[in-house]
Every structure is written in C-alpha cells, then in structure tokens.
Amino acid sequence: MQDNATEVTAAGIARLAGVGRAAVSNWRRRHPDFPKPVGGTETSPSFALAEVEAWLRAQGKLAEVPLRERVWQQLTGHPEGPAVALVHVGCVLLLVQERPTVWLDIDAGSDERLAARLPGVLDGVIAARFGCEPVNASGRVNTATPVHTPSGPQLLPSAPLLRGAVELAGELGARQTFEFLLGRYLDAHSRQYTPTPVELAGLMAELAGPARTVLDPACGTGALLRAVEARPEQTLYAQDSAPDLVALTALRLALHTRAAVRGAVGDTLRGEAYPELRADAVLCHPPFNERNWGHDELAYDARWEYGFPARNESELAWVQHALARLADGGTAVLLMPPAAASRRSGRRIRADLLRRGALRAVLALPVGSAPPYNLPLHLWVLSRPGRTPVAPEVLLVDTGAFAGEARGGPDWQAVRDAALDTWRTFARDGRLAERPGLARSVPVIELLDDDVDLAPARHLPPPAAADGVEQLAAVRDDLAATLRLTTGLTPPPAVPAPPAHRPLTTIGELARGGALLLRTGGMPGSTGTGTGTGTAPHARVPVLTDHDVLAGSPPSGTLPESDEETVLTEPGDVVVPVLGGGSVARVVDATTAGAALGRNLVLLRPDAGALDAWFLAGFLRGTANNRQASSYASTATRLDVRRLQLPRLPLDEQRRYGARFRALDEFEQALRQASRLGEQLLRGMYDGLTDGTVAPH
C-alpha cells in the first residue's frame, strides 16, 4: 500500500528522477499538472511522494522508484519525524532478525491489522534483547528504558515504511538496512551530531583491549560500542542525554552483536545510570568545552578523587567519571581536545593522575582525525590503580606525521600501527625505547613541573639525525630537478604586436547564448553540508575552496550528504574566485574533477564546440579585464564574473591562445613547487644546524 502521507522535497524529487534541482524547478514552471506543494515553506516546499511518483511515471521520467529511495523518502516524510520513524524501523528489523517467522505471520493483512499486532510481539523481543532496566543513583529502577515499544496508533503511520524496510532487509540484511538508513539520517542531520569516525572508534576499542563489560557514558550514535571486539557473555552499557540517540544506539548494537545491551537516558555527570558498575573498559568521546556540566551542584561528588574540576575543565570531569566506573586494572580511552593536556586550570588534576598512575598514555592524533577537524586531538589512556605498583613512566606518542592529504584524511593504517605497537610494548614492559619524532616513555617526575604539560610534541626528541639529513638531501635533489624544469618552461621572449581592435563579448552574453554554463558555489569554505546530483550515499565529497584556487592546491574540504544541491566540477571547467581582487582562473583537471564548488567561487562550463577552456581562463586573468569587472564599493573587492570580457575569435585562433596560456600555467605550477621545496629545504637546514643534527661545514 502506498503511503499517501509521505512528503518529499525538491532535492528528493531530483534524486528520484536522476536530474538536478534546476530541472525540477523547470518542471514546476512548465507543467501546470505538476503536483502542488502539500507542506514545507514557500522557499523549500514539500510534495506528496505518491503524487510525485505518479506524475513522473506518467511523463516517462521514472520507470520505478528504487526500493532504497522509496524507503528513505518514507522515513524522511514520516509525520512524527525521521528519528521516530527510524526507531520504529529498528524495532521491526530486530524482530525480523530475531523471529523472522513471527513477522511473516503478522505482515499479512491490512496496515491496521499489522499496527495492532506489532506491539505485542515487539514487547517480547525488546525485553529479551535489552534485559533489566538500569538502576539510578537513588537505588530505584530507572524507568527510562533504551527502547520503548511503540503503540498501535503510533505504528499505524509507519506501516508502509516498515513493510518497505523489511523488503529492503531481504536484499541487504536487517543490520545492513538499519546501518544504511541510520547513516543517511546522520549525514542529513550532520550539524546536530558530532560523529566519531569508524577508524578512530576502532583504534580506541583496540587500545582498551578485550573486555566483557564496556561502558560509553556519552554514547551518541554508538560508534564506539559498535567497534568493541565481541566476546562471550559480553555486556555493553550506553548512556546519553538524548532519548532518540540512546534508542538508536541500543537498536544498532542489538542488530550488530549478540552481547547484552543496556541503555539509559540522562545527563551522565549529573545523574549517572550505573553508579554500581565497575566495567572492564570505558570508551568515551565526551562533549568538549562545556561550561554547564554541573560544576555548581557537583562540588562534593565522590567521583572527584583526583581533584574538583574547574568550570572550564569539563573534560577532566569526564576523565574522573570514567575512572570511577572502571574495575581495578580496567582501561579507559577518551578522546580529548589538546588544550586539556596543557590548560593551567587543570594542572593539579593532571599531576594527581600522574602521581597515582591513573594516566598511562597520551597519544596525539593527526589533524583531521575527528571534529573539530582543524585540531590535532588527543587520546588519553587511563587505568584505575589497583594493587599493582604505580608505573613510574607515562607513554607519549605523536602520530601527527600521518596527517595525509586533506582529501583523504589521515593515513589511518599508519596511525593504528604506530599507536598500537607503542602502547602494547609500553603496557607489556612498563617503558618504551625512545623512538625519535614518534614516541617516548617519560618519567612521571619529569612532567611534574609548574605546568604539568602533557602535549606529546613538547617532550619528544626530533627525528633521528640520519633520517633528517637523508630527507634534506632528497628535498635538495627534488628542488634541483624542479628548477631545471622551471628553466625549460620559462616563456620565450615576448614578441611585440600592434594594438588589437577585436570585437568583444561578455561572460553574461555567452551564458545567455548557451556557449557556456555559469554556476555559483554556495558551500562553506572548509566544512559544511551538501552533495551534488548523482553522488553516492555517504560519499565524502571534496570541496574546492577559493583558497585552493588561489594557492593552486588540491580540494581541502569534505562534505557529508544532505538535501542541499552542490555544484560538482568536471574536467575543462573554469573556476574563478570572486573576492580578493586577484586575477585568477583555474582550469579543472582530472585531479580536481568531482569536487564540490565552494563559497565565493563561480564555475564556467564552456561548450567545447564554441569555446576553448584555456583560452577562456587566460583572458579572464587579464588585469585590465578584472579591474573593469570589479566592484570597489565595500572594504572587499568583488568580481562580477558576468562582466568579464572575451574577444570574439574563431575556435582555431582560440586554441592557439589556449596553448600559450596552458604553457604559462605549467610554468606557474613549477614556480610554486620550487617555492615550496625551497622553503622546506631552508627550514630543514635551520632546524638541523640549530639542533646539532647538521654539521656547519
């Protein structure tokens, strides 16, 4: 049965038909019978999915809505919201996974019959998988269970969605179907959640080691608990202040593992759900820089064994909560902001953690490992001191060298290998032989100064001298080769020519005539949301920013999926920054193609039969051309790309100019590379001479 209540946005219609949002806008203007909006706003209307599907099929624009897309549209258009719909789907998928024959029995018949019978069978599955309810701080049973059984009236609007989700599970499997829908939901609402990347979650779980009882007191969407290695008779405990997240996490874990899953809703610091728990491992990605964490009302809390955290040290409150919930000898791994290792307000707590042997290791991650992506976050590995002697040393590791390129993020395999190898050696031996530039076990007494600064980079020796000298030699060889290339690319002497009086046209006129397509970027410069038409679900789309265009560098940002339309570059496109007053235009090549167009950029896509891309880019860079097309009314110079001018020339003549402009671009790229290598060689020589690894003769 088709769900007539499901609504779909213009972006969703575009995905259904495999077109851009501009095409949907054209259909609305040109076809009087196009379905009328049934909701949304004037600028972002929504339409009935059933009506849209019927219209598309009648127009021959749609053979059949793909099952994945139908289920997703039904979920996003649910009258109670996508989060509630996703919980309903998770409950039914858990039923299908646990008791498939029961679903086959109740699926027959009308939506009303299905909704009436579902709560009774879901009760049994939910009770069996989520067990006893947690006990709160007062010793009474906490009535906030992780997953509530929906009632029949609540399930009735979800009936078509549930049938579609089960059908999709027949193709993908119940767990994979839930992961697909949850992943899309999180991508579409990325600004509401702080994700823990899969690779980072796996590393944290491996650092904690095998465990039968694992707690995540700030579970979010369950990424950390999902990464835990399965063990017999295992129990996973989760808590979060957001009821929807706790329910989604519990369902996600129940579909993923046979472990017992316990979940609780509540503010962990103010009202912990498991005060009697002593877990083998605690994994936590706490909220950063929270000032309203309970400082005033928790002054005498028993968890502050190592000192009462300052108002601006919420992270140290989470550290001590994790230690309080550990069994003797258990391990906690927390993701921390780098400031927590050096802020003066936290130095006394850090000192006591060191003195008592609770803090075992601090590992600095590469930039881009997790939000906020511009900071090199830290992992703190802690152990609750038991009867064993206090370790006299602490492990400091810096994996910042494995940052990788902005497009792909860190080299996670290298990060994982370095972190696990150094930690396991240190955990086994109690110390680690110095690894210059990477890791060192530091005597605790050496860190107990006025600052108690635990930032690994401050305490690690530089890379080995031999490696440094060899690297400098390689840079010098690369620089010499680049300089030779630059010499060969140097333009020949300029030949004077008589003043040219050629008829001119503008970019605006060419766009109106169809000789080129003009699009404007609207994405944030380094982070944001949106994907272009035709991108795959969950794709990490690189973003070409105005800084990248000016610097001649690769795309430096990535975007999760959302309903916003994104302009994606193609080979032969010409990209022009509109701010800054520079005369710059970049021709997109194979390495840049597929990137999303960032803010303050304009994309020109020439018709290859009418315009040569290099001819276009070259003339757009003329200083006089940019000056006459720029506005100087404000503090920032802004370029009106439509006013830029081009001479009207035959295509063969354009290509002659284009070949010369392309040669100049190659020369420019070689100069930039020589500049980068020269700066690298100079810095290496200064560092080597000053730290004694390079001889002065």
Side-chain angles (χ1 to χ4, degrees):
M1 180 183 295
Q2 176 63 50
D3 178 14
N4 294 315
T6 300
E7 297 178 12
V8 62
T9 64
I13 297 173
R15 280 200 298 267
L16 289 171
V19 298
R21 284 181 61 181
V24 177
S25 299
N26 287 335
W27 293 342
R28 292 184 63 194
R29 289 194 302 267
R30 293 168 50 198
H31 297 277
D33 61 337
F34 190 88
K36 303 302 181 189
V38 296
T41 65
E42 184 176 347
T43 57
S44 181
S46 58
F47 307 83
L49 176 60
E51 295 179 8
V52 168
E53 180 184 348
W55 187 87
L56 291 173
R57 188 174 288 111
Q59 295 289 326
K61 303 180 186 298
L62 178 69
E64 184 59 56
V65 178
L67 180 58
R68 288 190 185 203
E69 198 61 45
R70 175 188 294 281
V71 173
W72 171 245
Q73 295 297 345
Q74 290 174 330
L75 189 145
T76 57
H78 194 281
E80 297 300 320
V84 171
L86 196 52
V87 171
H88 292 179
V89 168
C91 290
V92 169
L93 290 176
L94 186 60
L95 170 66
V96 170
Q97 180 170 282
E98 300 284 318
R99 304 176 186 178
T101 56
V102 173
W103 168 261
L104 293 176
D105 177 53
I106 65 173
D107 180 39
S110 66
D111 288 352
E112 289 76 10
R113 179 177 181 272
L114 174 66
R117 298 188 63 186
L118 258 180
V121 296
L122 289 179
D123 264 336
V125 173
I126 289 173
R129 288 300 278 120
F130 302 121
C132 298
E133 297 172 334
V135 175
N136 62 24
S138 64
R140 294 182 301 229
V141 171
N142 188 343
T143 56
T145 56
V147 181
H148 295 282
T149 302
S151 66
Q154 290 173 325
L155 286 169
L156 182 57
S158 301
L161 165 64
L162 300 179
R163 296 184 195 275
V166 173
E167 184 181 353
L168 185 59
E171 298 179 5
L172 305 179
R175 177 177 63 83
Q176 293 88 343
T177 297
F178 190 74
E179 287 292 329
F180 162 70
L181 294 173
L182 177 63
R184 266 210 170 183
Y185 170 75
L186 295 176
D187 285 347
H189 300 82
S190 58
R191 295 178 184 176
Q192 300 177 25
Y193 307 108
T194 302
T196 304
V198 173
E199 300 87 352
L200 176 57
L203 173 59
M204 293 174 67
E206 289 191 86
L207 287 168
R212 288 182 58 186
T213 55
V214 187
L215 167 68
D216 184 348
C219 66
T221 57
L224 292 176
L225 291 175
R226 186 176 179 273
V228 171
E229 179 186 356
R231 293 183 63 81
E233 300 181 3
Q234 190 175 57
T235 305
L236 306 177
Y237 294 86
Q239 183 172 355
D240 200 281
S241 59
D244 288 344
L245 289 183
V246 174
L248 293 175
T249 290
L251 290 166
R252 186 183 198 186
L253 295 175
L255 287 163
H256 177 72
T257 176
R258 296 308 305 170
V261 177
R262 305 290 180 262
V265 178
D267 184 324
T268 296
L269 294 182
R270 288 187 173 91
E272 56 177 329
Y274 312 105
E276 306 303 322
L277 177 65
R278 296 296 179 267
D280 298 326
V282 176
L283 301 173
C284 187
H285 178 175
F288 296 162
N289 303 318
E290 285 216 344
R291 298 183 69 85
N292 185 28
W293 58 269
H295 176 271
D296 295 337
E297 58 263 48
L298 298 175
Y300 301 102
D301 197 288
R303 288 171 290 181
W304 315 144
E305 291 186 50
Y306 304 88
F308 181 41
R311 189 182 300 276
N312 66 330
E313 292 286 358
S314 62
E315 297 86 7
L316 294 182
W318 286 97
V319 164
Q320 294 189 76
H321 173 81
L323 286 168
R325 295 299 144 255
L326 278 178
D328 288 348
T331 301
V333 183
L334 283 84
L335 184 66
M336 302 284 280
S342 56
R343 276 191 298 242
R344 289 189 62 80
S345 54
R347 65 188 187 279
R348 292 182 180 177
I349 295 178
R350 293 195 299 270
D352 208 30
L353 290 169
L354 290 172
R355 289 192 192 98
R356 298 174 59 182
L359 182 59
R360 302 297 311 283
V362 176
L363 297 87
L365 297 169
V367 170
S369 296
Y373 290 107
N374 60 324
L375 292 179
L377 302 178
H378 290 176
L379 290 178
W380 285 24
V381 183
L382 304 111
S383 180
R384 183 168 181 82
R387 296 184 177 88
T388 57
V390 174
E393 298 190 355
V394 64
L395 176 66
L396 300 180
V397 181
D398 187 356
T399 62
F402 307 123
E405 297 294 331
R407 179 190 288 257
D411 182 347
W412 278 111
Q413 187 61 49
V415 172
R416 177 185 175 277
D417 291 346
L420 293 178
D421 181 47
T422 53
W423 165 245
R424 288 169 178 169
T425 301
F426 174 77
R428 182 186 66 241
D429 303 337
R431 65 181 308 277
L432 179 77
E434 191 174 276
R435 301 185 185 183
L438 176 64
R440 174 191 175 203
S441 58
V442 182
V444 167
I445 191 66
E446 186 177 318
L447 298 171
L448 295 176
D449 54 16
D450 289 341
D451 295 323
V452 197
D453 192 331
L454 306 180
R458 296 182 184 274
H459 303 281
L460 297 181
D467 294 341
V469 171
E470 291 175 3
Q471 185 178 11
L472 284 178
V475 172
R476 186 179 184 280
D477 290 343
D478 288 344
L479 176 60
T482 304
L483 289 173
R484 289 193 294 271
L485 174 63
T486 305
T487 301
L489 293 173
T490 302
V495 178
H501 299 285
R502 297 169 294 205
L504 299 176
T505 186
T506 65
I507 294 297
E509 290 172 350
L510 291 170
R512 287 191 295 272
L516 57 81
L517 174 68
L518 188 149
R519 302 293 300 274
T520 301
M523 295 297 100
S526 58
T527 60
T529 60
T531 58
T533 302
T535 56
H538 319 311
R540 297 290 289 177
V541 181
V543 182
L544 184 68
T545 69
D546 53 350
H547 174 76
D548 299 330
V549 175
L550 294 169
S553 57
S556 61
T558 55
L559 302 172
E561 184 182 14
S562 86
D563 282 343
E564 299 178 35
E565 183 185 15
T566 302
V567 180
L568 300 183
T569 59
E570 297 179 1
D573 289 345
V574 177
V575 180
V576 184
V578 297
L579 290 182
S583 301
V584 178
R586 178 170 175 177
V587 179
V588 174
D589 56 16
T591 62
T592 311
L597 191 67
R599 183 176 296 166
N600 299 322
L601 291 176
V602 170
L603 178 143
L604 305 174
R605 182 166 295 160
D607 178 352
L611 277 176
D612 179 81
W614 286 100
F615 162 80
L616 173 63
F619 272 95
L620 296 188
R621 294 191 61 172
T623 302
N625 199 5
N626 274 259
R627 187 180 296 119
Q628 64 85 25
S630 296
S631 168
Y632 304 92
S634 63
T635 55
T637 302
R638 186 173 187 87
L639 180 68
D640 183 352
V641 175
R642 292 179 178 275
R643 292 172 55 189
L644 288 169
Q645 297 177 337
L646 287 178
R648 295 182 181 272
L649 295 177
L651 190 57
D652 289 344
E653 186 71 7
Q654 291 181 32
R655 288 170 178 160
R656 286 182 52 207
Y657 274 98
R660 188 66 183 274
F661 287 136
R662 187 167 193 165
L664 290 175
D665 182 78
E666 293 175 357
F667 177 59
E668 182 178 26
Q669 296 304 318
L671 286 175
R672 284 178 169 164
Q673 177 68 1
S675 176
R676 285 192 288 265
L677 291 170
E679 290 177 1
Q680 188 177 349
L681 179 61
L682 279 172
R683 176 50 51 200
M685 290 297 296
Y686 274 113
D687 289 346
L689 287 167
T690 55
D691 63 25
T693 58
V694 173
H697 51 76

